[in-house]
Amino acid sequence: MKMRAVVIALAIVAAVGGIAGCNDDQVPAGAPGATAPTTVATAPGAPGTAVATTLPTRDDANVDARDFAQGDQFYFQSPSGNIMCGFINTGGIGVGCQLAQVTSVPAELPGCGYAENKKVAAEIFNGAPRFRCLSQGMFVGSPTDGSNKGGGKILRYGETIIVRGTACTSMESGVRCDTGGRGFVVAAEAQSLF
């Protein structure tokens, strides 16, 4: 009887402590629907641009990555078709995006982007973001719409896909990919690393 009273008292203390630890618009850590805290920092070279510095949670994805799979790789393209991205699981390559057309080229890639065989790209390689000038469709998936244009399935504006802990979000202003707070944002008008 004494043991039962102790167990009930502990349950009451735990319940009160859990309720006291949150207000009306918070979910206790570890509860269903809870997400990891996000620390925000300003990206270097992009005043006022906030980026998350923690890994995305599974709850941040609003599409099923399996719908974008081509074998053991995952590919998507922006609704405009100008940005094509892939999650590559071979050769140490992680995630990357390349642009079909650009109006601005990163200073790190002078002469890239204006010729058919020189495409501006950004990738996360071994956890660090970097720019690349590509001569082939490295991050371009196979056609999925019956046409000959590669790129993979369209990731609509506002959609986020997460593969192996790396998140990419399609926005009207471009595509943002990150893992552990490091990543890139690419668009025809501008590209940046953080």
Side-chain angles (χ1 to χ4, degrees), residues 148-171:
N148 290 330
K149 182 190 179 301
K153 185 176 174 178
I154 293 172
L155 188 66
R156 303 259 175 236
Y157 297 134
E159 291 182 336
T160 298
I161 181 173
I162 299 177
V163 176
R164 295 185 278 283
T166 300
C168 290
T169 301
S170 176
M171 308 170 292

Side-chain angles (χ1 to χ4, degrees), residues 58-59 138 147 173:
R58 190 180 332 201
D59 295 333
M138 180 176 216
S147 72
S173 59

Side-chain angles (χ1 to χ4, degrees), residues 100-118:
Q101 303 291 321
V102 294
T103 56
S104 176
V105 174
E108 296 89 339
L109 300 177
C112 187
Y114 299 116
E116 188 60 35
N117 65 341
K118 294 188 179 233

Side-chain angles (χ1 to χ4, degrees), residues 81-101:
N82 192 48
I83 305 171
M84 292 152 284
C85 304
F87 294 86
I88 313 297
N89 195 25
T90 56
I93 300 169
V95 64
C97 296
Q98 63 191 77
L99 295 117
Q101 303 291 321

Side-chain angles (χ1 to χ4, degrees), residues 20-137:
C22 64
N23 61 31
D24 291 340
D25 51 348
Q26 290 180 326
V27 178
T35 57
T38 300
T39 305
V40 176
T42 302
T49 303
V51 295
T53 58
T54 58
L55 284 171
T57 69
R58 190 180 332 201
D59 295 333
D60 293 327
N62 55 13
V63 298
D64 188 334
R66 294 172 293 188
D67 295 337
F68 296 81
Q70 293 183 13
D72 64 346
Q73 318 298 349
F74 300 83
Y75 296 95
F76 69 89
Q77 62 180 303
S78 65
S80 69
N82 192 48
I83 305 171
M84 292 152 284
C85 304
F87 294 86
I88 313 297
N89 195 25
T90 56
I93 300 169
V95 64
C97 296
Q98 63 191 77
L99 295 117
Q101 303 291 321
V102 294
T103 56
S104 176
V105 174
E108 296 89 339
L109 300 177
C112 187
Y114 299 116
E116 188 60 35
N117 65 341
K118 294 188 179 233
K119 301 299 180 190
V120 172
E123 70 178 341
I124 302 172
F125 182 76
N126 290 330
R130 68 180 183 179
F131 289 121
R132 293 190 61 189
C133 188
L134 300 177
S135 61
Q136 60 188 4

